[in-house]
Amino acid sequence: MRVLGVDPGLTRCGVGVVEGVPGRPCTLVAYYVIYTDPDDELPLRLLHLDRSLTDLVAEHRPQSVAVERVFAQHNVRTVMGTAQASGVAVLAGARAGLPVQTYTPSEVKAAVTGSGQADKAQVTSMVTRLLGLDAPPKPADAADALALAICHIWRGGTRARLAAAEAAARRGAPPRRGHAVRRGGAR
Amino acid sequence: MRVLGVDPGLTRCGVGVVEGVPGRPCTLVAYYVIYTDPDDELPLRLLHLDRSLTDLVAEHRPQSVAVERVFAQHNVRTVMGTAQASGVAVLAGARAGLPVQTYTPSEVKAAVTGSGQADKAQVTSMVTRLLGLDAPPKPADAADALALAICHIWRGGTRARLAAAEAAARRGAPPRRGHAVRRGGAR
């Protein structure tokens, strides 16, 4: 299974592509950091992020996408940008017709280090070891994205298959009542 | 000038299309509410929102898009979904090559009622009056999106032209250093 993991951020967005099967060591395919300029306007930044992620999905053809879940408790100054970036990342996977799974930071840490409270250095160290790398990923921002991809492969096997089956069933199904565009009544 | 306003939300996303020039009464073109099912998974909901907004932009061919800015202080339970929806809305405008402007709720309220502290009923009442409607917009979720579009027409004339000129200049310019995808070093 090939998974593309995304650690969403507006200024720095980590992307990691990993191959493997549940319970076995994984193989690194590639990793990236997408940068956008904080001095630029939001639309331009989201557009660059969208295009870059869409290109990477097209290039690496993962079977599924894993995105870190964002919480409101995070740094308030940057959390809105991070949430918008995560929306763009989830959408990039969904637009490519792929199952997209989100994981909390604790789930990711627990999957790769055994502890949901592990610090960044511990996660980076385990990612380096689990992928059999000679040195920690550089830029370091990619380590969390690689951890997400590993987490998804190890934990997500079943969940991903279920989600894919459900998504496929839905694509063939008539529009659901819950989704609608209602046009206004006036004129 | 034709403007498409978006009041972003994941469960209910208001869209209003208005025509006008600064300082003159505006004309309603259409309004909508895009609904997604809270029981559905996030990727499916963002995908529906993206497709609906993209379709509405293509149908109405606005000159610019106005999106309400989301703040972290809002309802913590729903703010992440709202922020993700706003990212998708900004992106839908940017992908169509349109200038996208964001406004705070206070800016919108001040533009249509004269007070940044106006309540929802006051905004709805002024939108109804300013667009010369016989009755308030139904569903009511569209009123804020119409107010955003009016705000943009009245306040945004100059800003929108500047943003459009800048966006056009950038499209012709070489990639900026600030935007990059950096590939990882290993392997």
Side-chain angles (χ1 to χ4, degrees):
Chain A
M1 187 206 282
R2 179 176 285 202
V3 175
L4 187 140
V6 182
D7 179 25
L10 196 49
T11 301
R12 285 185 300 275
C13 179
V15 179
V17 187
V18 172
E19 256 177 16
V21 294
R24 303 274 303 272
C26 297
T27 310
L28 172 67
V29 177
Y31 61 87
Y32 307 84
V33 178
I34 303 168
Y35 298 92
T36 77
D37 189 336
D39 291 335
D40 270 335
E41 288 188 15
L42 180 66
L44 207 63
R45 300 178 76 187
L46 294 178
L47 194 59
H48 174 67
L49 189 58
D50 175 60
R51 285 180 179 167
S52 303
L53 287 170
T54 300
D55 286 352
L56 291 178
V57 166
E59 180 183 342
H60 291 292
R61 303 175 167 274
Q63 270 100 49
S64 59
V65 172
V67 180
E68 188 167 298
R69 204 172 297 169
V70 184
F71 289 100
Q73 300 96 300
H74 278 192
N75 184 341
V76 169
R77 204 177 56 80
T78 60
V79 72
M80 288 296 111
T82 307
Q84 290 173 319
S86 82
V88 169
V90 170
L91 182 62
R95 286 218 330 265
L98 298 173
V100 181
Q101 192 84 50
T102 59
Y103 294 97
T104 66
S106 314
E107 286 177 311
V108 177
K109 289 172 184 173
V112 300
T113 74
S115 161
Q117 275 80 51
D119 62 15
K120 206 169 175 63
Q122 227 180 318
V123 171
T124 301
S125 157
M126 282 306 293
V127 164
T128 308
R129 193 182 311 176
L130 292 170
L131 294 175
L133 308 180
D134 299 330
K138 276 188 193 315
D141 301 288
D144 282 343
L146 291 167
L148 263 158
I150 297 170
C151 167
H152 184 64
I153 289 171
W154 285 3
R155 288 202 33 174
T158 319
R159 280 163 76 186
R161 275 196 298 276
L162 285 173
E166 202 180 348
R170 277 185 188 162
R171 272 195 293 277
R176 295 160 58 88
R177 259 193 310 180
H179 291 306
V181 180
R182 203 161 297 166
R183 193 185 166 118
R187 303 215 173 167
Chain B
M1 187 209 274
R2 178 177 286 203
V3 174
L4 186 140
V6 182
D7 179 25
L10 196 48
T11 302
R12 285 185 300 276
C13 179
V15 178
V17 187
V18 172
E19 255 177 16
V21 293
R24 304 274 303 274
C26 298
T27 309
L28 170 68
V29 177
Y31 61 86
Y32 308 83
V33 178
I34 303 168
Y35 298 92
T36 76
D37 190 336
D39 291 335
D40 270 336
E41 288 187 15
L42 180 67
L44 206 64
R45 300 178 76 187
L46 293 178
L47 194 59
H48 175 67
L49 189 59
D50 175 60
R51 286 181 179 166
S52 303
L53 287 170
T54 299
D55 287 352
L56 291 178
V57 166
E59 181 183 342
H60 291 293
R61 303 173 167 275
Q63 271 99 48
S64 60
V65 172
V67 180
E68 188 166 299
R69 203 171 299 168
V70 183
F71 289 100
Q73 301 94 303
H74 279 190
N75 184 341
V76 169
R77 204 177 56 80
T78 59
V79 73
M80 287 298 111
T82 307
Q84 291 173 320
S86 83
V88 169
V90 170
L91 182 62
R95 287 217 330 265
L98 299 174
V100 181
Q101 193 85 50
T102 59
Y103 293 97
T104 66
S106 314
E107 286 177 311
V108 176
K109 288 172 184 174
V112 300
T113 74
S115 161
Q117 276 80 52
D119 63 16
K120 207 171 174 65
Q122 227 180 316
V123 171
T124 301
S125 158
M126 281 308 293
V127 164
T128 308
R129 193 183 309 175
L130 292 170
L131 294 175
L133 308 179
D134 298 333
K138 276 187 193 315
D141 301 289
D144 282 343
L146 291 167
L148 263 159
I150 297 170
C151 168
H152 184 64
I153 289 171
W154 285 3
R155 290 201 33 174
T158 318
R159 279 163 75 186
R161 276 195 300 275
L162 285 173
E166 204 180 346
R170 277 185 189 163
R171 273 194 294 277
R176 293 161 59 87
R177 258 193 310 180
H179 291 305
V181 181
R182 201 161 298 166
R183 192 183 167 119
R187 302 213 176 171

